[in-house]
Amino acid sequence: MGSLLFWYDNWTGLGALYFIVPQDFGIDETIHNVYDVVEEGSWNVNRLLEVLPEEYVLHIIEKNKSPTAYEVLDIPYWMLETRGFFSVRTTWEYLRRRDDPRVAYKMIWVKGLPFKISFFMWKVWKAKLPLDDFMRRLGYFMPSKCWCCSQPKEETLQHMFFMSDTARSVDKVVWEFPRECWLKVNTDGASRGNPGRSAIGYNARDEKGDIVFAEWKEINETTNTEAEAMAIVEALRYCRMQQYSQVCVQTDSMLMKKIIEGMWKPP
């Protein structure tokens, strides 16, 4: 249909006209596509002679058939690239379907950012790990995916957690912001081997959801239950040292929750 770029696509077989036309001819920027030099189904020879050397015009008339049916889509062929070579890249450019880049990709592949860092962030993002807090500290605001449900994280920090009961029910758990002037502390502990090598971690967010403090550290070899308990104790101890009095603690351990509430006896 003649929609190829007149100056930049290799539609003549000679290469991109933009690079081979002598400088004294100049580039007529009013011509954008091939159909701009077609008139009533045939080449507009006078227009071609105005913008191209005569030998190029003769080549076009002899070797290239003028487009006639504008409503028919062009058929892609494996053509020479601008430098005059065949390459797999040119084939891929013709055949692939281009979609608008996702917001996450725009934030990961930042111009000027070292490739190794961008590639690492892309691999982590593809692994569906939450990156909001880490990226915030670096100054980038990008969406990430929740590790448990593979859904894009929203500003409300919504997650899907599967309950391990016989009904295999699904509950939607929303991280709620604490009240004004309060802190919400989330704790976690884990033990590889149970008992085995263990570590704890905790963080606190204010009423805006911003992290006030966060810490993790390795502890002595112990069990999962003791690691969860130590994480809560360490977090509360830190709050007391910093004189934070209005604190709400959240743990992912149902055992710890029931013990603190007095519903279960400690093991």
Side-chain angles (χ1 to χ4, degrees), residues 6-7 11 17-18 20-34 36-37 44-57 60:
F6 181 85
W7 294 108
W11 60 276
L17 295 175
Y18 182 87
I20 64 176
V21 170
Q23 294 184 355
D24 55 348
F25 266 83
I27 301 298
D28 189 341
E29 296 182 355
T30 62
I31 299 178
H32 300 285
N33 302 96
V34 176
D36 291 334
V37 292
N44 187 339
V45 180
N46 293 331
R47 189 76 175 104
L48 287 172
L49 289 173
E50 291 176 1
V51 297
L52 295 175
E54 184 177 352
E55 60 269 22
Y56 294 164
V57 176
I60 291 173

PDB file of all heavy atoms in Angstrom, residues 6-7 11 17-18 20-34 36-37 44-57 60:
ATOM      1  N   PHE A   6       9.614   6.592   3.002  1.00  0.00           N
ATOM      2  CA  PHE A   6      10.297   6.877   1.738  1.00  0.00           C
ATOM      3  C   PHE A   6      11.801   6.995   1.924  1.00  0.00           C
ATOM      4  O   PHE A   6      12.577   6.460   1.133  1.00  0.00           O
ATOM      5  CB  PHE A   6       9.730   8.167   1.134  1.00  0.00           C
ATOM      6  CG  PHE A   6      10.350   8.535  -0.194  1.00  0.00           C
ATOM      7  CD1 PHE A   6       9.867   7.986  -1.374  1.00  0.00           C
ATOM      8  CD2 PHE A   6      11.420   9.423  -0.270  1.00  0.00           C
ATOM      9  CE1 PHE A   6      10.433   8.318  -2.606  1.00  0.00           C
ATOM     10  CE2 PHE A   6      11.992   9.759  -1.487  1.00  0.00           C
ATOM     11  CZ  PHE A   6      11.488   9.210  -2.657  1.00  0.00           C
ATOM     12  N   TRP A   7      12.242   7.657   2.977  1.00  0.00           N
ATOM     13  CA  TRP A   7      13.666   7.945   3.146  1.00  0.00           C
ATOM     14  C   TRP A   7      14.408   6.892   3.959  1.00  0.00           C
ATOM     15  O   TRP A   7      15.611   6.708   3.769  1.00  0.00           O
ATOM     16  CB  TRP A   7      13.845   9.308   3.811  1.00  0.00           C
ATOM     17  CG  TRP A   7      13.379  10.447   2.971  1.00  0.00           C
ATOM     18  CD1 TRP A   7      12.267  11.214   3.162  1.00  0.00           C
ATOM     19  CD2 TRP A   7      14.000  10.949   1.789  1.00  0.00           C
ATOM     20  NE1 TRP A   7      12.145  12.159   2.173  1.00  0.00           N
ATOM     21  CE2 TRP A   7      13.203  12.031   1.325  1.00  0.00           C
ATOM     22  CE3 TRP A   7      15.146  10.611   1.069  1.00  0.00           C
ATOM     23  CZ2 TRP A   7      13.527  12.754   0.172  1.00  0.00           C
ATOM     24  CZ3 TRP A   7      15.465  11.330  -0.073  1.00  0.00           C
ATOM     25  CH2 TRP A   7      14.661  12.388  -0.505  1.00  0.00           C
ATOM     26  N   TRP A  11      13.064   0.176   0.600  1.00  0.00           N
ATOM     27  CA  TRP A  11      12.013  -0.302  -0.290  1.00  0.00           C
ATOM     28  C   TRP A  11      12.470  -0.367  -1.746  1.00  0.00           C
ATOM     29  O   TRP A  11      11.838  -1.012  -2.570  1.00  0.00           O
ATOM     30  CB  TRP A  11      10.781   0.595  -0.179  1.00  0.00           C
ATOM     31  CG  TRP A  11      11.020   2.034  -0.540  1.00  0.00           C
ATOM     32  CD1 TRP A  11      11.510   3.008   0.274  1.00  0.00           C
ATOM     33  CD2 TRP A  11      10.783   2.634  -1.808  1.00  0.00           C
ATOM     34  NE1 TRP A  11      11.606   4.204  -0.395  1.00  0.00           N
ATOM     35  CE2 TRP A  11      11.159   3.986  -1.689  1.00  0.00           C
ATOM     36  CE3 TRP A  11      10.297   2.178  -3.039  1.00  0.00           C
ATOM     37  CZ2 TRP A  11      11.069   4.889  -2.738  1.00  0.00           C
ATOM     38  CZ3 TRP A  11      10.204   3.074  -4.078  1.00  0.00           C
ATOM     39  CH2 TRP A  11      10.582   4.411  -3.947  1.00  0.00           C
ATOM     40  N   LEU A  17      17.330   5.572   1.300  1.00  0.00           N
ATOM     41  CA  LEU A  17      17.628   6.725   0.445  1.00  0.00           C
ATOM     42  C   LEU A  17      18.218   7.886   1.241  1.00  0.00           C
ATOM     43  O   LEU A  17      18.985   8.686   0.700  1.00  0.00           O
ATOM     44  CB  LEU A  17      16.346   7.174  -0.269  1.00  0.00           C
ATOM     45  CG  LEU A  17      15.755   6.167  -1.267  1.00  0.00           C
ATOM     46  CD1 LEU A  17      14.433   6.678  -1.810  1.00  0.00           C
ATOM     47  CD2 LEU A  17      16.735   5.906  -2.416  1.00  0.00           C
ATOM     48  N   TYR A  18      17.882   7.963   2.502  1.00  0.00           N
ATOM     49  CA  TYR A  18      18.390   9.051   3.329  1.00  0.00           C
ATOM     50  C   TYR A  18      19.914   9.058   3.384  1.00  0.00           C
ATOM     51  O   TYR A  18      20.539  10.126   3.469  1.00  0.00           O
ATOM     52  CB  TYR A  18      17.814   8.917   4.738  1.00  0.00           C
ATOM     53  CG  TYR A  18      18.236  10.011   5.691  1.00  0.00           C
ATOM     54  CD1 TYR A  18      17.521  11.201   5.768  1.00  0.00           C
ATOM     55  CD2 TYR A  18      19.346   9.855   6.517  1.00  0.00           C
ATOM     56  CE1 TYR A  18      17.915  12.211   6.641  1.00  0.00           C
ATOM     57  CE2 TYR A  18      19.742  10.850   7.385  1.00  0.00           C
ATOM     58  CZ  TYR A  18      19.023  12.031   7.441  1.00  0.00           C
ATOM     59  OH  TYR A  18      19.423  13.031   8.296  1.00  0.00           O
ATOM     60  N   ILE A  20      22.023   7.496   1.010  1.00  0.00           N
ATOM     61  CA  ILE A  20      22.726   7.364  -0.265  1.00  0.00           C
ATOM     62  C   ILE A  20      22.509   8.548  -1.207  1.00  0.00           C
ATOM     63  O   ILE A  20      23.243   8.701  -2.186  1.00  0.00           O
ATOM     64  CB  ILE A  20      22.298   6.059  -0.987  1.00  0.00           C
ATOM     65  CG1 ILE A  20      20.817   6.101  -1.364  1.00  0.00           C
ATOM     66  CG2 ILE A  20      22.603   4.851  -0.127  1.00  0.00           C
ATOM     67  CD1 ILE A  20      20.389   4.881  -2.167  1.00  0.00           C
ATOM     68  N   VAL A  21      21.529   9.380  -0.910  1.00  0.00           N
ATOM     69  CA  VAL A  21      21.285  10.548  -1.773  1.00  0.00           C
ATOM     70  C   VAL A  21      22.402  11.569  -1.569  1.00  0.00           C
ATOM     71  O   VAL A  21      22.773  11.868  -0.427  1.00  0.00           O
ATOM     72  CB  VAL A  21      19.909  11.176  -1.451  1.00  0.00           C
ATOM     73  CG1 VAL A  21      19.744  12.515  -2.148  1.00  0.00           C
ATOM     74  CG2 VAL A  21      18.798  10.229  -1.854  1.00  0.00           C
ATOM     75  N   PRO A  22      22.986  12.108  -2.637  1.00  0.00           N
ATOM     76  CA  PRO A  22      24.037  13.125  -2.502  1.00  0.00           C
ATOM     77  C   PRO A  22      23.555  14.338  -1.717  1.00  0.00           C
ATOM     78  O   PRO A  22      22.372  14.676  -1.720  1.00  0.00           O
ATOM     79  CB  PRO A  22      24.362  13.499  -3.954  1.00  0.00           C
ATOM     80  CG  PRO A  22      23.928  12.317  -4.756  1.00  0.00           C
ATOM     81  CD  PRO A  22      22.730  11.752  -4.045  1.00  0.00           C
ATOM     82  N   GLN A  23      24.491  14.980  -1.050  1.00  0.00           N
ATOM     83  CA  GLN A  23      24.136  16.097  -0.181  1.00  0.00           C
ATOM     84  C   GLN A  23      23.553  17.277  -0.949  1.00  0.00           C
ATOM     85  O   GLN A  23      22.735  18.024  -0.414  1.00  0.00           O
ATOM     86  CB  GLN A  23      25.370  16.556   0.610  1.00  0.00           C
ATOM     87  CG  GLN A  23      25.877  15.524   1.605  1.00  0.00           C
ATOM     88  CD  GLN A  23      27.039  16.046   2.422  1.00  0.00           C
ATOM     89  OE1 GLN A  23      27.523  17.157   2.182  1.00  0.00           O
ATOM     90  NE2 GLN A  23      27.502  15.249   3.367  1.00  0.00           N
ATOM     91  N   ASP A  24      23.971  17.449  -2.213  1.00  0.00           N
ATOM     92  CA  ASP A  24      23.462  18.603  -2.960  1.00  0.00           C
ATOM     93  C   ASP A  24      21.978  18.478  -3.277  1.00  0.00           C
ATOM     94  O   ASP A  24      21.317  19.474  -3.583  1.00  0.00           O
ATOM     95  CB  ASP A  24      24.256  18.796  -4.253  1.00  0.00           C
ATOM     96  CG  ASP A  24      24.273  17.530  -5.102  1.00  0.00           C
ATOM     97  OD1 ASP A  24      23.877  16.475  -4.589  1.00  0.00           O
ATOM     98  OD2 ASP A  24      24.708  17.606  -6.266  1.00  0.00           O
ATOM     99  N   PHE A  25      21.437  17.268  -3.228  1.00  0.00           N
ATOM    100  CA  PHE A  25      20.008  17.092  -3.445  1.00  0.00           C
ATOM    101  C   PHE A  25      19.207  17.452  -2.196  1.00  0.00           C
ATOM    102  O   PHE A  25      18.079  17.920  -2.287  1.00  0.00           O
ATOM    103  CB  PHE A  25      19.680  15.635  -3.853  1.00  0.00           C
ATOM    104  CG  PHE A  25      19.613  15.445  -5.331  1.00  0.00           C
ATOM    105  CD1 PHE A  25      20.768  15.248  -6.068  1.00  0.00           C
ATOM    106  CD2 PHE A  25      18.399  15.490  -5.986  1.00  0.00           C
ATOM    107  CE1 PHE A  25      20.712  15.084  -7.440  1.00  0.00           C
ATOM    108  CE2 PHE A  25      18.326  15.331  -7.353  1.00  0.00           C
ATOM    109  CZ  PHE A  25      19.484  15.126  -8.089  1.00  0.00           C
ATOM    110  N   GLY A  26      19.786  17.209  -1.041  1.00  0.00           N
ATOM    111  CA  GLY A  26      19.068  17.473   0.200  1.00  0.00           C
ATOM    112  C   GLY A  26      17.965  16.455   0.435  1.00  0.00           C
ATOM    113  O   GLY A  26      17.749  15.532  -0.354  1.00  0.00           O
ATOM    114  N   ILE A  27      17.256  16.638   1.522  1.00  0.00           N
ATOM    115  CA  ILE A  27      16.169  15.737   1.901  1.00  0.00           C
ATOM    116  C   ILE A  27      14.869  16.548   1.964  1.00  0.00           C
ATOM    117  O   ILE A  27      14.760  17.508   2.738  1.00  0.00           O
ATOM    118  CB  ILE A  27      16.435  15.076   3.269  1.00  0.00           C
ATOM    119  CG1 ILE A  27      17.739  14.271   3.225  1.00  0.00           C
ATOM    120  CG2 ILE A  27      15.270  14.185   3.670  1.00  0.00           C
ATOM    121  CD1 ILE A  27      17.725  13.128   2.232  1.00  0.00           C
ATOM    122  N   ASP A  28      13.923  16.151   1.145  1.00  0.00           N
ATOM    123  CA  ASP A  28      12.627  16.814   1.126  1.00  0.00           C
ATOM    124  C   ASP A  28      11.769  16.211   2.247  1.00  0.00           C
ATOM    125  O   ASP A  28      11.232  15.114   2.123  1.00  0.00           O
ATOM    126  CB  ASP A  28      11.944  16.614  -0.228  1.00  0.00           C
ATOM    127  CG  ASP A  28      10.694  17.474  -0.379  1.00  0.00           C
ATOM    128  OD1 ASP A  28      10.170  17.924   0.659  1.00  0.00           O
ATOM    129  OD2 ASP A  28      10.243  17.692  -1.515  1.00  0.00           O
ATOM    130  N   GLU A  29      11.638  16.933   3.340  1.00  0.00           N
ATOM    131  CA  GLU A  29      10.937  16.410   4.502  1.00  0.00           C
ATOM    132  C   GLU A  29       9.424  16.386   4.320  1.00  0.00           C
ATOM    133  O   GLU A  29       8.713  15.871   5.183  1.00  0.00           O
ATOM    134  CB  GLU A  29      11.295  17.240   5.734  1.00  0.00           C
ATOM    135  CG  GLU A  29      12.771  17.152   6.108  1.00  0.00           C
ATOM    136  CD  GLU A  29      13.101  17.933   7.358  1.00  0.00           C
ATOM    137  OE1 GLU A  29      12.196  18.618   7.881  1.00  0.00           O
ATOM    138  OE2 GLU A  29      14.257  17.864   7.820  1.00  0.00           O
ATOM    139  N   THR A  30       8.918  16.946   3.222  1.00  0.00           N
ATOM    140  CA  THR A  30       7.471  16.875   2.983  1.00  0.00           C
ATOM    141  C   THR A  30       7.045  15.489   2.507  1.00  0.00           C
ATOM    142  O   THR A  30       5.854  15.167   2.531  1.00  0.00           O
ATOM    143  CB  THR A  30       7.049  17.915   1.942  1.00  0.00           C
ATOM    144  OG1 THR A  30       7.705  17.643   0.687  1.00  0.00           O
ATOM    145  CG2 THR A  30       7.419  19.321   2.413  1.00  0.00           C
ATOM    146  N   ILE A  31       7.988  14.680   2.065  1.00  0.00           N
ATOM    147  CA  ILE A  31       7.700  13.319   1.637  1.00  0.00           C
ATOM    148  C   ILE A  31       7.981  12.381   2.799  1.00  0.00           C
ATOM    149  O   ILE A  31       9.109  12.309   3.293  1.00  0.00           O
ATOM    150  CB  ILE A  31       8.549  12.914   0.417  1.00  0.00           C
ATOM    151  CG1 ILE A  31       8.249  13.840  -0.755  1.00  0.00           C
ATOM    152  CG2 ILE A  31       8.287  11.467   0.032  1.00  0.00           C
ATOM    153  CD1 ILE A  31       9.078  13.537  -1.986  1.00  0.00           C
ATOM    154  N   HIS A  32       6.979  11.676   3.243  1.00  0.00           N
ATOM    155  CA  HIS A  32       7.122  10.768   4.372  1.00  0.00           C
ATOM    156  C   HIS A  32       7.043   9.306   3.929  1.00  0.00           C
ATOM    157  O   HIS A  32       7.913   8.501   4.284  1.00  0.00           O
ATOM    158  CB  HIS A  32       6.037  11.045   5.415  1.00  0.00           C
ATOM    159  CG  HIS A  32       6.086  12.432   5.968  1.00  0.00           C
ATOM    160  ND1 HIS A  32       7.038  12.841   6.884  1.00  0.00           N
ATOM    161  CD2 HIS A  32       5.315  13.520   5.728  1.00  0.00           C
ATOM    162  CE1 HIS A  32       6.847  14.106   7.200  1.00  0.00           C
ATOM    163  NE2 HIS A  32       5.799  14.550   6.506  1.00  0.00           N
ATOM    164  N   ASN A  33       6.024   8.951   3.178  1.00  0.00           N
ATOM    165  CA  ASN A  33       5.800   7.569   2.777  1.00  0.00           C
ATOM    166  C   ASN A  33       5.934   7.421   1.262  1.00  0.00           C
ATOM    167  O   ASN A  33       5.963   8.405   0.527  1.00  0.00           O
ATOM    168  CB  ASN A  33       4.410   7.100   3.218  1.00  0.00           C
ATOM    169  CG  ASN A  33       4.225   7.223   4.717  1.00  0.00           C
ATOM    170  OD1 ASN A  33       3.677   8.205   5.201  1.00  0.00           O
ATOM    171  ND2 ASN A  33       4.687   6.231   5.453  1.00  0.00           N
ATOM    172  N   VAL A  34       6.009   6.164   0.825  1.00  0.00           N
ATOM    173  CA  VAL A  34       6.191   5.889  -0.602  1.00  0.00           C
ATOM    174  C   VAL A  34       4.988   6.389  -1.404  1.00  0.00           C
ATOM    175  O   VAL A  34       5.137   6.897  -2.527  1.00  0.00           O
ATOM    176  CB  VAL A  34       6.416   4.376  -0.827  1.00  0.00           C
ATOM    177  CG1 VAL A  34       6.502   4.057  -2.310  1.00  0.00           C
ATOM    178  CG2 VAL A  34       7.684   3.926  -0.118  1.00  0.00           C
ATOM    179  N   ASP A  36       3.467   8.977  -1.231  1.00  0.00           N
ATOM    180  CA  ASP A  36       3.518  10.417  -1.483  1.00  0.00           C
ATOM    181  C   ASP A  36       4.052  10.730  -2.873  1.00  0.00           C
ATOM    182  O   ASP A  36       3.899  11.867  -3.346  1.00  0.00           O
ATOM    183  CB  ASP A  36       4.384  11.106  -0.422  1.00  0.00           C
ATOM    184  CG  ASP A  36       3.727  11.097   0.951  1.00  0.00           C
ATOM    185  OD1 ASP A  36       2.481  11.032   1.003  1.00  0.00           O
ATOM    186  OD2 ASP A  36       4.452  11.153   1.955  1.00  0.00           O
ATOM    187  N   VAL A  37       4.733   9.754  -3.513  1.00  0.00           N
ATOM    188  CA  VAL A  37       5.259   9.973  -4.867  1.00  0.00           C
ATOM    189  C   VAL A  37       4.500   9.121  -5.877  1.00  0.00           C
ATOM    190  O   VAL A  37       5.031   8.800  -6.957  1.00  0.00           O
ATOM    191  CB  VAL A  37       6.775   9.668  -4.928  1.00  0.00           C
ATOM    192  CG1 VAL A  37       7.558  10.686  -4.122  1.00  0.00           C
ATOM    193  CG2 VAL A  37       7.070   8.256  -4.426  1.00  0.00           C
ATOM    194  N   ASN A  44       4.883   9.154  -9.764  1.00  0.00           N
ATOM    195  CA  ASN A  44       4.937  10.559 -10.146  1.00  0.00           C
ATOM    196  C   ASN A  44       6.384  10.882 -10.494  1.00  0.00           C
ATOM    197  O   ASN A  44       7.176  11.272  -9.631  1.00  0.00           O
ATOM    198  CB  ASN A  44       4.425  11.443  -9.002  1.00  0.00           C
ATOM    199  CG  ASN A  44       4.294  12.896  -9.394  1.00  0.00           C
ATOM    200  OD1 ASN A  44       4.908  13.350 -10.358  1.00  0.00           O
ATOM    201  ND2 ASN A  44       3.473  13.624  -8.646  1.00  0.00           N
ATOM    202  N   VAL A  45       6.728  10.707 -11.774  1.00  0.00           N
ATOM    203  CA  VAL A  45       8.119  10.806 -12.215  1.00  0.00           C
ATOM    204  C   VAL A  45       8.672  12.196 -11.953  1.00  0.00           C
ATOM    205  O   VAL A  45       9.824  12.363 -11.503  1.00  0.00           O
ATOM    206  CB  VAL A  45       8.238  10.434 -13.705  1.00  0.00           C
ATOM    207  CG1 VAL A  45       9.690  10.552 -14.160  1.00  0.00           C
ATOM    208  CG2 VAL A  45       7.720   9.023 -13.944  1.00  0.00           C
ATOM    209  N   ASN A  46       7.908  13.208 -12.239  1.00  0.00           N
ATOM    210  CA  ASN A  46       8.385  14.579 -12.034  1.00  0.00           C
ATOM    211  C   ASN A  46       8.726  14.826 -10.558  1.00  0.00           C
ATOM    212  O   ASN A  46       9.728  15.471 -10.252  1.00  0.00           O
ATOM    213  CB  ASN A  46       7.329  15.575 -12.503  1.00  0.00           C
ATOM    214  CG  ASN A  46       7.121  15.531 -14.009  1.00  0.00           C
ATOM    215  OD1 ASN A  46       8.042  15.205 -14.767  1.00  0.00           O
ATOM    216  ND2 ASN A  46       5.907  15.857 -14.467  1.00  0.00           N
ATOM    217  N   ARG A  47       7.889  14.294  -9.678  1.00  0.00           N
ATOM    218  CA  ARG A  47       8.164  14.471  -8.244  1.00  0.00           C
ATOM    219  C   ARG A  47       9.403  13.710  -7.835  1.00  0.00           C
ATOM    220  O   ARG A  47      10.208  14.203  -7.040  1.00  0.00           O
ATOM    221  CB  ARG A  47       6.953  13.979  -7.433  1.00  0.00           C
ATOM    222  CG  ARG A  47       7.048  14.314  -5.953  1.00  0.00           C
ATOM    223  CD  ARG A  47       6.756  15.772  -5.722  1.00  0.00           C
ATOM    224  NE  ARG A  47       6.720  16.098  -4.306  1.00  0.00           N
ATOM    225  CZ  ARG A  47       7.701  16.728  -3.657  1.00  0.00           C
ATOM    226  NH1 ARG A  47       8.789  17.099  -4.323  1.00  0.00           N
ATOM    227  NH2 ARG A  47       7.601  17.018  -2.385  1.00  0.00           N
ATOM    228  N   LEU A  48       9.594  12.523  -8.387  1.00  0.00           N
ATOM    229  CA  LEU A  48      10.790  11.741  -8.072  1.00  0.00           C
ATOM    230  C   LEU A  48      12.048  12.448  -8.537  1.00  0.00           C
ATOM    231  O   LEU A  48      13.073  12.451  -7.833  1.00  0.00           O
ATOM    232  CB  LEU A  48      10.685  10.350  -8.706  1.00  0.00           C
ATOM    233  CG  LEU A  48       9.694   9.375  -8.062  1.00  0.00           C
ATOM    234  CD1 LEU A  48       9.565   8.118  -8.910  1.00  0.00           C
ATOM    235  CD2 LEU A  48      10.143   8.995  -6.646  1.00  0.00           C
ATOM    236  N   LEU A  49      11.988  13.042  -9.740  1.00  0.00           N
ATOM    237  CA  LEU A  49      13.170  13.736 -10.271  1.00  0.00           C
ATOM    238  C   LEU A  49      13.521  14.978  -9.462  1.00  0.00           C
ATOM    239  O   LEU A  49      14.671  15.423  -9.464  1.00  0.00           O
ATOM    240  CB  LEU A  49      12.926  14.118 -11.735  1.00  0.00           C
ATOM    241  CG  LEU A  49      12.908  12.954 -12.733  1.00  0.00           C
ATOM    242  CD1 LEU A  49      12.485  13.436 -14.115  1.00  0.00           C
ATOM    243  CD2 LEU A  49      14.280  12.280 -12.809  1.00  0.00           C
ATOM    244  N   GLU A  50      12.551  15.519  -8.751  1.00  0.00           N
ATOM    245  CA  GLU A  50      12.818  16.695  -7.929  1.00  0.00           C
ATOM    246  C   GLU A  50      13.609  16.346  -6.670  1.00  0.00           C
ATOM    247  O   GLU A  50      14.370  17.183  -6.167  1.00  0.00           O
ATOM    248  CB  GLU A  50      11.499  17.365  -7.541  1.00  0.00           C
ATOM    249  CG  GLU A  50      10.768  18.018  -8.694  1.00  0.00           C
ATOM    250  CD  GLU A  50       9.425  18.590  -8.261  1.00  0.00           C
ATOM    251  OE1 GLU A  50       9.115  18.467  -7.049  1.00  0.00           O
ATOM    252  OE2 GLU A  50       8.706  19.139  -9.106  1.00  0.00           O
ATOM    253  N   VAL A  51      13.418  15.124  -6.180  1.00  0.00           N
ATOM    254  CA  VAL A  51      14.013  14.786  -4.881  1.00  0.00           C
ATOM    255  C   VAL A  51      15.127  13.751  -4.979  1.00  0.00           C
ATOM    256  O   VAL A  51      15.866  13.559  -4.006  1.00  0.00           O
ATOM    257  CB  VAL A  51      12.923  14.269  -3.925  1.00  0.00           C
ATOM    258  CG1 VAL A  51      11.885  15.358  -3.654  1.00  0.00           C
ATOM    259  CG2 VAL A  51      12.240  13.035  -4.474  1.00  0.00           C
ATOM    260  N   LEU A  52      15.272  13.075  -6.144  1.00  0.00           N
ATOM    261  CA  LEU A  52      16.270  12.017  -6.279  1.00  0.00           C
ATOM    262  C   LEU A  52      17.083  12.198  -7.555  1.00  0.00           C
ATOM    263  O   LEU A  52      16.585  12.765  -8.545  1.00  0.00           O
ATOM    264  CB  LEU A  52      15.588  10.639  -6.303  1.00  0.00           C
ATOM    265  CG  LEU A  52      14.846  10.185  -5.050  1.00  0.00           C
ATOM    266  CD1 LEU A  52      14.140   8.865  -5.323  1.00  0.00           C
ATOM    267  CD2 LEU A  52      15.782  10.058  -3.865  1.00  0.00           C
ATOM    268  N   PRO A  53      18.320  11.703  -7.558  1.00  0.00           N
ATOM    269  CA  PRO A  53      19.101  11.689  -8.798  1.00  0.00           C
ATOM    270  C   PRO A  53      18.411  10.839  -9.867  1.00  0.00           C
ATOM    271  O   PRO A  53      17.650   9.918  -9.561  1.00  0.00           O
ATOM    272  CB  PRO A  53      20.434  11.080  -8.369  1.00  0.00           C
ATOM    273  CG  PRO A  53      20.509  11.315  -6.901  1.00  0.00           C
ATOM    274  CD  PRO A  53      19.091  11.241  -6.410  1.00  0.00           C
ATOM    275  N   GLU A  54      18.726  11.122 -11.137  1.00  0.00           N
ATOM    276  CA  GLU A  54      18.039  10.466 -12.249  1.00  0.00           C
ATOM    277  C   GLU A  54      18.257   8.960 -12.240  1.00  0.00           C
ATOM    278  O   GLU A  54      17.333   8.189 -12.536  1.00  0.00           O
ATOM    279  CB  GLU A  54      18.519  11.056 -13.580  1.00  0.00           C
ATOM    280  CG  GLU A  54      17.795  10.501 -14.798  1.00  0.00           C
ATOM    281  CD  GLU A  54      18.246  11.158 -16.086  1.00  0.00           C
ATOM    282  OE1 GLU A  54      19.008  12.145 -16.012  1.00  0.00           O
ATOM    283  OE2 GLU A  54      17.831  10.672 -17.162  1.00  0.00           O
ATOM    284  N   GLU A  55      19.475   8.498 -11.877  1.00  0.00           N
ATOM    285  CA  GLU A  55      19.729   7.057 -11.892  1.00  0.00           C
ATOM    286  C   GLU A  55      18.888   6.318 -10.860  1.00  0.00           C
ATOM    287  O   GLU A  55      18.442   5.191 -11.083  1.00  0.00           O
ATOM    288  CB  GLU A  55      21.214   6.756 -11.669  1.00  0.00           C
ATOM    289  CG  GLU A  55      21.788   7.259 -10.351  1.00  0.00           C
ATOM    290  CD  GLU A  55      22.370   8.656 -10.459  1.00  0.00           C
ATOM    291  OE1 GLU A  55      21.962   9.378 -11.387  1.00  0.00           O
ATOM    292  OE2 GLU A  55      23.238   9.009  -9.636  1.00  0.00           O
ATOM    293  N   TYR A  56      18.618   6.963  -9.761  1.00  0.00           N
ATOM    294  CA  TYR A  56      17.761   6.338  -8.754  1.00  0.00           C
ATOM    295  C   TYR A  56      16.316   6.269  -9.233  1.00  0.00           C
ATOM    296  O   TYR A  56      15.612   5.289  -8.997  1.00  0.00           O
ATOM    297  CB  TYR A  56      17.833   7.111  -7.439  1.00  0.00           C
ATOM    298  CG  TYR A  56      19.182   7.057  -6.766  1.00  0.00           C
ATOM    299  CD1 TYR A  56      19.515   7.961  -5.757  1.00  0.00           C
ATOM    300  CD2 TYR A  56      20.137   6.113  -7.128  1.00  0.00           C
ATOM    301  CE1 TYR A  56      20.755   7.924  -5.130  1.00  0.00           C
ATOM    302  CE2 TYR A  56      21.376   6.071  -6.516  1.00  0.00           C
ATOM    303  CZ  TYR A  56      21.684   6.975  -5.533  1.00  0.00           C
ATOM    304  OH  TYR A  56      22.908   6.944  -4.918  1.00  0.00           O
ATOM    305  N   VAL A  57      15.878   7.327  -9.906  1.00  0.00           N
ATOM    306  CA  VAL A  57      14.509   7.352 -10.420  1.00  0.00           C
ATOM    307  C   VAL A  57      14.314   6.256 -11.460  1.00  0.00           C
ATOM    308  O   VAL A  57      13.295   5.547 -11.455  1.00  0.00           O
ATOM    309  CB  VAL A  57      14.184   8.732 -11.013  1.00  0.00           C
ATOM    310  CG1 VAL A  57      12.779   8.734 -11.633  1.00  0.00           C
ATOM    311  CG2 VAL A  57      14.295   9.817  -9.943  1.00  0.00           C
ATOM    312  N   ILE A  60      13.968   2.942  -9.773  1.00  0.00           N
ATOM    313  CA  ILE A  60      12.661   2.760  -9.137  1.00  0.00           C
ATOM    314  C   ILE A  60      11.610   2.404 -10.185  1.00  0.00           C
ATOM    315  O   ILE A  60      10.794   1.495  -9.992  1.00  0.00           O
ATOM    316  CB  ILE A  60      12.270   4.040  -8.380  1.00  0.00           C
ATOM    317  CG1 ILE A  60      13.188   4.234  -7.167  1.00  0.00           C
ATOM    318  CG2 ILE A  60      10.809   3.983  -7.932  1.00  0.00           C
ATOM    319  CD1 ILE A  60      12.994   5.552  -6.452  1.00  0.00           C
TER     320      ILE A  60
END
